[in-house]
Structure formats: C-alpha cells, structure tokens
Amino acid sequence: MSRVVIFLLCAFAILIFVYALREKLGKKAKPAFFILFLLLILGIGIFEYKNIVKGHKQDDLLIAFNQGKSLICKNIIVESSNFNYEFGTSSFISKDINKSLKFLVLDIKDCKLNNE
C-alpha cells in the first residue's frame, strides 16, 4: 500500500514539473510526455500485480506448510517435522534432527506443493 502512495506522489510531482515547463516544452513534446507517463503507470501496475500474485503464492505455501502438508523445494521434501520457517528471510531452515540436511536453507520461492 505504501508503494502505491509513493508512486502516486512521484507521478504527481512529475505532472507538476511538466505543467511548470509547459510553455518551454512546446506543443510537440507534451503528447510525448503524456504517453511516457501512461507507459510508466502501466509498467508499475504490471510490476505491482506480479508482486501481489507472487506474495499470495508464498502465503498459500506457508499456510500449507503450517497445516502439516509437505512441500518440494529443489527436489527436497520439506515438512514441519524437519524444517522451520524463518519469516525474516522467507526460507525454510533444517532442524538439527536430520544430520544429512543440517544447515540447509531453502528459499520459499523455489518451492511448490507436494501433490502425492
């Protein structure tokens, strides 16, 4: 939400800047700035939408992990009995129970739900 507010403030500042220079820019440059501004808005909107979708996917994976379901991350089965989830890094860290997976850290973006 705060990114949207910051974006709107920046867009408003650009519009004020273009408005202040309207006589120096000439009539041919105004449509170019308007098209550039619209493309900027479209690009930021697409970027924000992709981040929201990615965030929902990660939330769904975390909910499944907390419900006891298993995930597959880089061909390793991740379960709550062998891994803990670290919120600061958005990753799964192996517990000391299994010596073969000791010190293993797996990023949640590399995971998918295990549909056995």
Side-chain angles (χ1 to χ4, degrees), residues 75-93:
N75 295 327
I76 297 174
I77 296 177
V78 175
E79 296 175 332
S80 58
S81 60
N82 294 331
F83 287 86
N84 288 324
Y85 182 74
E86 179 62 41
F87 286 94
T89 59
S90 298
S91 58
F92 297 102
I93 300 174

Side-chain angles (χ1 to χ4, degrees), residues 76 83 94-104:
I76 297 174
F83 287 86
S94 66
K95 294 181 180 179
D96 290 335
I97 297 170
N98 192 345
K99 300 297 181 192
S100 65
L101 299 176
K102 195 170 185 177
F103 303 117
L104 182 64

Side-chain angles (χ1 to χ4, degrees), residues 58-70:
Q58 289 179 356
D59 290 344
D60 291 343
L61 288 173
L62 184 58
I63 289 169
F65 176 77
N66 287 333
Q67 290 175 345
K69 297 179 182 174
S70 61

